[in-house]
Every structure is written in C-alpha cells, then in structure tokens.
Amino acid sequence: MEVSLMDLEAQYREIEDEVLAVVKKVLRSGCYILGPNVRLLEEEIASYCGSKYAVGVASGTDALELSLAALGVGEGDEVVTTPFTFVATAEAIVRVGARPVFVDIEKDSFNIDPVRIKEGITERTRAIVPVHLYGQSANMEAILEIAEEYHLKVIEDAAQAFGAEYRFSLSGESNGRPRVKKAGSLGDAGCLSFFPTKNLAGYGDGGMVLAWDGEIAEKLRRLRVHGTGQDRYSYTLRGKNSRLDEVQAAILRVKLKYVEEWLKMRQQRASLYDELLREVSVPVRTPLVTPYTTHTYCVYTILAPHRNELEEYLKKKGINCRVYYPVPLHLQDTYKYLDYHKGDFPVAEKVSKEVISLPVYPELPEEKLRYVVQEIRKFYS
Ligand SMILES: *Cc1c(COP(=O)(O)O)cnc(C)c1O
C-alpha cells in the first residue's frame, strides 16, 4: 500500500468548484495585488485568531522578517530563539541584521524551554521568537512573563500552529487577557504561513502577521510595499516587496471556512495513531500535548529508537515519512559563525536523532493509518 506524507490534491478535489469560481472572479476583476480579497482575508483571520490587526505578506518567512523589522529589531540586536525549528526562523533574524541566540528546548513539547530563555538574555537582547512546533503552542504564559520582566518583544512563529488554542492560567486571566486565545495572537506579533503543507494552506506561497498595536500594523503595511510613506514614491522605511496576492487570498478565504473541520479531522487521525500505537506496544513515544494548548497536528511526530532504520523500512513498504529536523540550526554550516558546538543544546540534539513524522492529513483514510501502525509494529518485533 502507498501512503504519502500528505495528499494536497485530495483536499483540492473536494473544493475544486468553489476555488475555481473565486479564482475566475479575481482574474476577471483586473485587481490582482492588495485588493478586496486580501483586505477581507486579513479581517477574517484577525477575527478567527482573536487578534486586532492582520497584514498579508508574501510568505511565512517574510512575516517573520517584517515583524522583526516593524518592532525595531535590527543591526547589533540579539534575538533569543530555538535551534530546533525550520531554518526560516533564524534566517529572518539574520536578515534584519540581528544575531540569533539559541536556547535549548523542552524534551516533551519540543518547544523552546522558558527556563533556558533567561540564560540567553544579554543587554543586547531585543526579542524572543518562540516557535509553535508541529502544531502546538509553546509555553506562552511563561515566555510573556519573561518578556515583560526584561522589556523584550515577543514574535510568535505560528507557521505550523494555525488554529491551535492557548489557555491562560487564572493569573493570565487576571492580567486582563482573554483566557483562551489562538496561537499567533499572544505576542507583539504572530507569524502565519500559508505554504501548501500548513494547516491553512494556499496553492502557492503566502503569509500573514497578526498584531495588537495599530502602529505596528501600519508599519507592516508600509514595509510590504517598499517602505512607502504617505505619498507614493516617498519612502520612510527600508522595506521590500512582500505582498499576498488576490488569487491566493480568495482561495484562502474559501479554505478558512473549512479549517476548523480539517483541524478536527487531523486531531481524529492523531488520536487514532495514539491509540493504535499504544495497543501494539512499540517502543515509540507518541506526541505529548501540554495542558495549556491544543495540538493541531500540522505534523504527527513521534520519538522512535533506530529512527533511520525505521524510516528506511517504512519507505520500502510504501510509507512516506519525514524527519523534521535532522540537524538543529546551531550545527548547520550557515550558522557556524555564531560559534556554537556539538553538545551546546543536548535536548535538541538528542531529539533530532529520534524524531520522525508519520503521514497525517485531514483526509488520511483509516486503513492507510492502520497499515502504517502495523508496519511500525512489524519493524520493532
Ligand atoms: C513553514 C515555516 C516557516 C516559513 O514559512 P514560509 O511560508 O514557507 O516562508 C517558518 N517557520 C516555521 C516553523 C515553518 O514551519
């Protein structure tokens, strides 16, 4: 049996008529950049995520770079983040001229360890970038407390966690924040990606920044069009070209209506994996969900002994898995200049050798899922 990691076509086929209709409408409108669909999508996503403002940009990577810039992070600044993430997180920090400072992760959630964050803070630190890896939120309450104490900005990399719900403890509530919020709406800026494999996905690149502060939102709107000022062809900020286009925005507006349903389907498939993997008692660790967040299972990642052999074995059986991520960023060539070494972040280094993500997508048929579990059982017996 063939089991692909995800099946983007399956979802497209379900909504094909609706998608083609809106695409046709955009194409006939003559308005292709920063038109009504982008504006409406921004409103709809701000409302869905419980944020005040949303600004569409060209990608999740740009969302990170532009929010750092909008919050005044630049040359000579340091930004504390996790080494166990997609490269874009650190890349955006470098792009604005700042220095990524890595701190280790929690072994249970794979997210940045708040206890370690303070160790990374110096007088040059300006911001913290937590990543909500695999689909569940990092410990934002602890992170926001540290940010407040040290006067730092918090930029959430929520690229993998669109729709994840964060629950503040009672003390959070008394700070005047709503008790339940969506990932990306908790910090000074929250970065979303609409890359085709994410929870809310376009048919191309796209991204968005969520923000609470109107001035920051306004700055982002100018940064995405070359830093344009009040008058056309006057420039007050060093910006770039980073816009979400009308076709993608129109498609995303269609998909936003279904996203809750698709998240539920992901969660159902994840629960079935949890249950079946427990039943066959294989030596793998299924994803642990922390008490303060829901898990959206953008990917379903287990810890597996003999990971590389397992991956090889499953591939031979027609099952496509993926390792996110085999080498933590502090050990990548690009970041050699930061002068980190093997052993600096033992948790990230250890899990990078054991993680493997199994096929998961809303439409994944149960028989395929059962086949994956069966083959994992065969591998270990
Ligand atoms: C996908 C992703 C990004 C980048 O998003 P793009 O839209 O592909 O630029 C950033 N951070 C994380 C954690 C991601 O998974």
Side-chain angles (χ1 to χ4, degrees):
M1 198 184 303
E2 289 291 315
V3 190
S4 55
L5 189 65
M6 48 192 82
D7 184 351
L8 305 179
E9 258 181 272
Q11 190 168 85
Y12 172 67
R13 281 192 297 269
E14 262 177 57
I15 54 170
E16 184 169 39
D17 292 344
E18 239 181 309
V19 167
L20 291 181
V22 298
V23 169
K24 191 169 171 182
K25 217 168 148 186
V26 171
L27 296 185
R28 286 194 166 183
S29 76
C31 177
Y32 308 126
I33 294 286
L34 297 184
N37 281 289
V38 170
R39 203 183 63 248
L40 289 166
L41 181 71
E42 288 171 345
E43 285 173 22
E44 287 158 7
I45 287 188
S47 149
Y48 174 84
C49 293
S51 192
K52 192 143 188 215
Y53 301 98
V55 180
V57 294
S59 68
T61 307
D62 275 2
L64 287 161
E65 182 185 331
L66 295 182
S67 35
L68 286 158
L71 288 162
V73 178
E75 220 60 59
D77 295 335
E78 291 180 358
V79 178
V80 177
T81 192
T82 162
F84 193 59
T85 175
F86 182 54
V87 68
T89 316
E91 184 186 293
I93 296 166
V94 173
R95 285 274 154 217
V96 297
R99 185 184 177 88
V101 173
F102 297 121
V103 300
D104 213 349
I105 56 169
E106 300 173 325
K107 68 180 189 331
D108 289 346
S109 72
F110 309 118
N111 281 325
I112 193 166
D113 188 344
V115 176
R116 301 273 166 210
I117 289 177
K118 285 191 187 177
E119 296 168 14
I121 295 175
T122 72
E123 65 274 22
R124 286 182 300 280
T125 309
R126 294 293 306 278
I128 306 169
V129 181
V131 179
H132 307 316
L133 202 68
Y134 302 146
Q136 72 174 330
S137 175
N139 185 349
M140 287 303 290
E141 197 159 346
I143 292 166
L144 291 171
E145 258 169 43
I146 295 166
E148 203 170 302
E149 185 183 341
Y150 291 87
H151 307 287
L152 306 174
K153 303 293 184 192
V154 176
I155 294 138
E156 300 173 72
D157 182 341
Q160 297 183 9
F162 184 84
E165 275 180 6
Y166 190 87
R167 284 181 292 274
F168 280 95
S169 66
L170 287 173
S171 65
E173 185 179 36
S174 67
N175 280 347
R177 297 190 198 97
R179 210 169 116 65
V180 180
K181 298 205 69 196
K182 292 265 168 46
S185 71
L186 301 135
D188 296 287
C191 302
L192 309 177
S193 164
F194 306 129
F195 187 76
T197 61
K198 307 292 163 95
N199 290 345
L200 175 65
Y203 298 125
D205 276 309
M208 197 167 274
V209 183
L210 304 174
W212 277 104
D213 184 330
E215 253 174 67
I216 298 302
E218 188 49 37
K219 232 170 155 181
L220 285 162
R221 286 180 205 286
R222 297 208 273 126
L223 284 168
R224 72 178 169 183
V225 285
H226 310 285
T228 308
Q230 297 291 23
D231 306 312
R232 192 172 283 233
Y233 304 118
S234 80
Y235 307 100
T236 49
L237 296 167
R238 247 179 295 161
K240 67 190 296 190
N241 173 0
S242 181
R243 297 173 292 228
L244 182 64
D245 66 70
E246 278 290 291
V247 169
Q248 293 304 335
I251 293 166
L252 288 162
R253 290 186 64 215
V254 169
K255 296 182 93 177
L256 184 61
K257 293 189 295 186
Y258 299 103
V259 81
E260 280 286 309
E261 194 183 313
W262 289 331
L263 291 177
K264 278 200 196 88
M265 289 162 81
R266 283 181 185 277
Q267 285 160 344
Q268 278 163 2
R269 271 123 192 109
S271 308
L272 190 56
Y273 266 132
D274 288 348
E275 190 188 316
L276 295 176
L277 285 168
R278 211 177 316 120
E279 261 174 40
V280 297
S281 62
V282 282
V284 306
R285 202 203 78 186
T286 54
L288 296 178
V289 186
T290 49
Y292 45 75
T293 176
T294 58
H295 203 315
T296 57
Y297 300 101
C298 187
V299 288
Y300 183 90
T301 305
I302 60 173
L303 288 175
H306 310 289
R307 192 265 319 272
N308 293 346
E309 292 83 351
L310 174 67
E311 189 184 17
E312 260 324 288
Y313 174 85
L314 292 175
K315 196 185 274 171
K316 279 199 205 101
K317 299 292 173 179
I319 299 165
N320 230 302
C321 295
R322 189 69 65 81
V323 173
Y324 305 104
Y325 298 93
V327 181
L329 297 185
H330 68 286
L331 301 178
Q332 296 280 358
D333 282 350
T334 349
Y335 296 118
K336 270 211 175 107
Y337 75 97
L338 296 172
D339 208 26
Y340 289 111
H341 302 97
K342 225 183 200 135
D344 283 347
F345 306 113
V347 183
E349 290 169 31
K350 184 166 189 291
V351 303
S352 68
K353 294 189 178 75
E354 296 175 11
V355 285
I356 183 164
S357 302
L358 307 180
V360 76
Y361 52 90
E363 303 79 9
L364 175 66
E366 185 172 328
E367 56 159 344
K368 292 200 179 196
L369 191 155
R370 287 183 182 273
Y371 172 68
V372 174
V373 174
Q374 217 179 71
E375 289 303 330
I376 294 175
R377 184 183 57 81
K378 278 193 198 153
F379 172 79
Y380 283 111
S381 59

